[in-house]
Amino acid sequence: MKKLPGLWLMASAFAPLVALLAILNLTRLGRLGWVILAACAVSWLMLALTLKSLAGVQTEPLTSTAVKRADERVLAFASSYMVPVAIALFGGPDTNKIAGTMALVLLLALIYVRAGLYHLNPTLAACGFRLYEVSVENGAVVMLLSRSDRIPQAGRIECHQLGSDVAIQLKGQP
C-alpha cells in the first residue's frame, strides 16, 4: 500500500466508528470529544483530497478475465463496528469500559493494517464505491473499488494501483 493513500483510507474507514463512539461519550469526553469529531472530519477531507490527487496520476490498466461483486466484505467489516458500539452503549460508565472500547478499536485497526484490508472502507461505500474481486490475465486477484456498476468480465480496466492487490477506479469505464 502506498503510504499516504493507505493512511487516509485507514483513517476514513475507522472515522465513522470513532465519531459514533465520541458522540455516545460526548458528555464524558467534553472538549476531547469535539477534538475527536474534528479529527474524523479531517480524515474524510484528506481522503477526498487524496482521491482528487490520485485522479491526476496516470492510470495503470488491468486486463480482467473474471469479475464478481464483493460488497458483502465491506458490510462484514462494518458489522465489526457493533462490538465497540455495544460496549459504549450498554457498558457501565467507568474507565474500564472506555479502555475496553479503545482496545477493541485499536485491535480492529491493527488487523485492518496488517492484513492490508484497505479496500474494506465503509466511507467509500457510503460515497458510492462498490467493491469487486477481479481476476486478471496473469492469474492474480485484485480488489477493485469503483463507482461503476459494470466492470467488464473480460477486458481492460483503467485504474490506479493502491497496492499489489488493491486498485481504485476513479472515473467510469472509458
Side-chain angles (χ1 to χ4, degrees), residues 104-165:
L104 282 171
V105 172
L106 290 174
L107 178 63
L108 286 172
L110 178 65
I111 292 168
Y112 183 86
V113 170
R114 300 296 268 169
L117 301 175
Y118 298 98
H119 53 281
L120 301 180
N121 190 315
T123 301
L124 289 176
C127 292
F129 282 90
R130 294 172 183 88
L131 183 62
Y132 296 92
E133 184 178 293
V134 179
S135 298
V136 294
E137 63 187 352
N138 69 358
V141 174
V142 175
M143 301 309 295
L144 176 68
L145 291 158
S146 177
R147 285 191 172 114
S148 178
D149 57 357
R150 290 182 31 213
I151 303 294
Q153 286 292 323
R156 185 179 167 110
I157 302 169
E158 294 294 331
C159 56
H160 302 275
Q161 298 295 320
L162 296 175
S164 60
D165 59 353

Side-chain angles (χ1 to χ4, degrees), residues 30-146:
R31 288 186 185 153
L32 177 60
W34 290 105
V35 170
I36 292 169
L37 289 172
C40 291
V42 166
S43 78
W44 290 322
L45 175 65
M46 293 308 295
L47 176 66
L49 292 174
T50 299
L51 294 178
K52 184 175 177 153
S53 71
L54 267 176
V57 175
Q58 185 173 351
T59 60
E60 298 177 32
L62 296 174
T63 303
S64 63
T65 59
V67 175
K68 67 179 181 175
R69 293 280 299 263
D71 290 324
E72 74 282 351
R73 294 178 188 189
V74 178
L75 182 59
F77 173 73
S79 296
S80 67
Y81 282 10
M82 294 306 113
V83 174
V85 171
I87 292 171
L89 285 174
F90 303 114
D94 59 12
T95 309
N96 290 339
K97 177 189 83 164
I98 293 172
T101 302
M102 289 176 58
L104 282 171
V105 172
L106 290 174
L107 178 63
L108 286 172
L110 178 65
I111 292 168
Y112 183 86
V113 170
R114 300 296 268 169
L117 301 175
Y118 298 98
H119 53 281
L120 301 180
N121 190 315
T123 301
L124 289 176
C127 292
F129 282 90
R130 294 172 183 88
L131 183 62
Y132 296 92
E133 184 178 293
V134 179
S135 298
V136 294
E137 63 187 352
N138 69 358
V141 174
V142 175
M143 301 309 295
L144 176 68
L145 291 158
S146 177

